[in-house]
Amino acid sequence: MSMKLLKTSILALASCLLVTLLSGCTTYTWEDGSKKTVFGVPAEDERLTEEERRAQGVRYREPGEIPE
């Protein structure tokens, strides 16, 4: 019984760790169709209202480069 509990606990811990690690991923897609997934979430301008943010649409940027 204890071996089954140990396996279940390890599986639950691994699942939680996987979800936690993937929650900070962002997938970038370029014009040629290539995609790259990186850790981190693009910064948003917190001063904009929700309507202004929606009006801007989706913006893509090169990983590692600071947007203008």
Side-chain angles (χ1 to χ4, degrees), residues 4-9 13 16 20 24 31 33 38-39 46-48 51 53 55 61-62 65 68:
K4 185 177 180 180
L5 180 62
L6 179 63
K7 287 181 181 180
T8 304
S9 298
L13 181 63
C16 290
T20 302
E31 293 81 20
V38 296
F39 286 106
E46 296 177 1
R47 297 170 293 178
L48 296 177
E51 292 80 22
R53 235 180 254 127
R61 65 180 180 90
E62 295 284 332
E65 290 185 11
E68 296 176 3

Side-chain angles (χ1 to χ4, degrees), residues 5-34:
L5 180 62
L6 179 63
K7 287 181 181 180
T8 304
S9 298
I10 290 173
L11 181 60
L13 181 63
S15 298
C16 290
L17 181 62
L18 178 65
V19 168
T20 302
L21 288 174
L22 291 177
S23 65
C25 290
T26 302
T27 301
Y28 294 96
T29 305
W30 284 266
E31 293 81 20
D32 65 356
S34 62

Side-chain angles (χ1 to χ4, degrees), residues 47-59:
R47 297 170 293 178
L48 296 177
T49 65
E50 187 64 29
E51 292 80 22
E52 290 171 330
R53 235 180 254 127
R54 271 191 245 133
Q56 285 182 343
V58 179
R59 295 177 292 145

